[in-house]
């Protein structure tokens, strides 16, 4: 009997990408050409104009920061005119620009690259690595995404896979993949919490395991909380200490900063195993033409002091997610750690204190997502296949004229599911269209949510049925009734434009208002006006 085509599992990470495949029911990570188990998620253009991917691209990060794309997982599927992209612009050394359809795109050597294209270069490299190691073409994949990814982001990753030459069999949420790596074929009946603290984001998911049925009960997270924030705290500390010692400010020194950032991260990682380190950087600055070295000790306790509020934030989020399902920390049977930053001893200690039990040993925090994705891929179509019930991590809504949103599909519901409505008449009776701007996010205000696109149908469709369908992968499909067709419910692509009219108007209104004097009490945070001024005044 011919072997069924092998489906690899890919963890397309913020920092690193891993690929795994299953042989004889055992999933294994495929080593890269450099003999590592990870491929840095970095794409770069060399000084000679060669496109580099992975370790070679990362190697030139310090010397050629403008042409080295890293952390693009945070940008993929985002609109250029969004709060998140506005904030991320100050994070990265490369240029972020407006691409097709109003999506964020990046510049590399004067050429614009879409983010699915950038990710496809990483996935393409992974495909080559897998093919060389496994011997033979690999065309099918399961790719993981953060549970907190919205619809645009999930679709953009699918598109990246397609551009790399994969038939993407399924998009799976990272915590679900981690849960699979832990519980697949073990006949467990447990509630588990997956605590995923990676390089850039924090994700938490609570799952019910029942044999090979994996049901996501609730998810939450913070897309701006991860290892890099820990590094930044250490970096700020080093800059302040150095200034105290030398009165030289390195905070605007482009040559020194990447070196200090790397040293900060290395010190943080070393402090996982050791109690103190000495951070040394020769010739990091100058004073009156004389070289200055950086030499600063750091203890684990000092690191904990610098970052304990970040760790506490993760537990506030865990509690919020548990509360959504009326669960107490003590009702969780196992805690699975994912992501490099979860190795920090303070995290492990606080898990023990918070949940009354230590995190589960034996699940590899860097590898479990790729392993779980591979297990899922292998099980697709087989008799004892896994049943996954993924939950929607953020509500899907439509925009109201006052700048707020109204929910269409609530958070934490499981796909597949359909919500049906009747199309209203156009707001403006003379308009030839009925338009609904669709958003995804936790806020009540559209400016704080991600714009997914616009439902635009002829005004004559008023009164017809519109279905918002959530697939098993938690992707949104919109179907509109057309009685002349069979079947009458027809898929509708969301129309996209850079900024919806309604949102543009809200932005203009907010900008035309004078900012309040400094001593005037601020508007409640999270409100429309405060959000807009926060975004636009920073420019
Ligand atoms: P990931 O996105 O899961 O690859 O996580 C990468 C993050 O984990 C980076 O911020 C690393 O600095 C951090 N990290 C890796 N190993 C350790 C460690 N032993 N202790 C603390 N943080 C770590």
């Amino acid at each position: 009997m011919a072997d069924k085509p092998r489906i690899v599992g890919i963890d397309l990470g913020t920092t690193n990408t891993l690929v795994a495949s299953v042989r004889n029911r055992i999933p294994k990570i495929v080593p890269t050409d450099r003999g590592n188990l990870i491929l840095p998620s970095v794409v770069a253009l060399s000084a000679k104009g060669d496109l580099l991917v992975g370790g070679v691209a990362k190697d030139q990060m310090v010397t050629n920061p403008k042409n080295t794309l890293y952390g693009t997982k945070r940008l993929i599927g985002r609109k250029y005119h969004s709060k998140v992209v506005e904030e991320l612009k100050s994070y990265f050394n490369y240029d972020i620009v407006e691409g097709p359809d109003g999506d964020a795109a990046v510049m590399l050597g004067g050429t614009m690259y879409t983010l699915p294209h950038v990710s496809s270069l990483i996935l393409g490299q992974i495909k080559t690595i897998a093919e060389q190691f496994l011997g033979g073409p690999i065309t099918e994949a399961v790719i993981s995404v953060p549970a907190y990814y919205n619809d645009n982001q999930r679709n953009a990753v699918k598109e990246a896979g397609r551009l790399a030459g994969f038939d993407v069999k399924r998009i799976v949420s990272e915590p679900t993949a981690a849960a699979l790596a832990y519980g697949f074929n073990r006949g467990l009946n447990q509630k588990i919490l997956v605590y995923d603290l990676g390089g850039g984001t924090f994700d938490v998911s609570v799952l019910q395991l029942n044999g090979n049925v994996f049901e996501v009960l609730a998810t939450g997270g913070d897309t701006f909380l991860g290892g890099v924030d820990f590094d930044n705290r250490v970096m700020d500390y080093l800059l302040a200490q150095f200034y105290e010692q030398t009165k030289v400010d390195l905070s605007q020194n482009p040559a020194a900063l990447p070196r200090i950032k790397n040293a900060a991260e290395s010190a943080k990682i070393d402090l996982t195993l050791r109690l103190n380190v000495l951070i040394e950087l020769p010739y990091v600055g100058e004073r009156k033409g004389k070289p200055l070295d950086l030499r600063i000790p750091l203890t684990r306790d000092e690191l904990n002091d610098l970052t304990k509020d970040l760790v506490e934030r993760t537990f506030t989020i865990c509690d919020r997610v548990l509360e959504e399902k009326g669960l107490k920390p003590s009702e969780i049977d196992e805690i699975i750690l994912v992501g490099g930053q979860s190795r920090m001893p303070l995290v492990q200690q606080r898990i023990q204190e918070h949940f009354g039990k230590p995190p589960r040993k034996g699940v590899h925090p860097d590898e479990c997502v790729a392993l779980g994705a591979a297990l899922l891929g292998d099980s697709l179509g087989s008799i004892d296949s896994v049943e996954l019930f993924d939950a929607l991590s953020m509500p899907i809504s439509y925009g109201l004229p006052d700048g707020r949103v109204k929910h269409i599909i609530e958070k934490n519901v499981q796909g597949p599911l359909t919500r049906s409505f009747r199309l209203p008449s156009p707001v403006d009776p003379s308009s030839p269209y009925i338009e609904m701007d669709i958003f995804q996010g936790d806020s009540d205000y559209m400016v704080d949510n991600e714009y997914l696109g616009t439902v635009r149908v002829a005004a004559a469709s008023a009164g017809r049925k519109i279905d918002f369908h959530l697939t098993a992968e938690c992707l949104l499909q919109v179907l509109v009734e057309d009685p002349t067709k069979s079947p009458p419910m027809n898929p509708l692509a969301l129309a996209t434009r850079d900024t919806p009219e309604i949102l543009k108007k809200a932005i203009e209104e907010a900008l035309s208002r004078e900012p309040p004097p400094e001593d005037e009490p601020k508007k409640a945070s999270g409100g429309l006006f405060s959000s807009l001024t926060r975004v636009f005044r920073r420019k």
Side-chain angles (χ1 to χ4, degrees), residues 15-16 198-199 227-228 231 265 268-269 272 339-341 343-344 366:
T15 328
N16 297 307
V228 68
D231 303 344
E265 182 177 7
K268 173 194 79 173
I269 292 175
T272 289
Q341 190 61 46
R343 291 204 179 86
M344 185 185 193
D366 298 329

Side-chain angles (χ1 to χ4, degrees), residues 25 34 49 72 106 147 150 169 206 268 327 370 491 496 528 532:
R25 312 207 120 208
R34 285 189 168 191
T72 49
V106 290
N150 66 38
K169 289 292 175 193
V206 180
K268 173 194 79 173
L327 291 169
T496 56
L528 178 64
L532 285 167

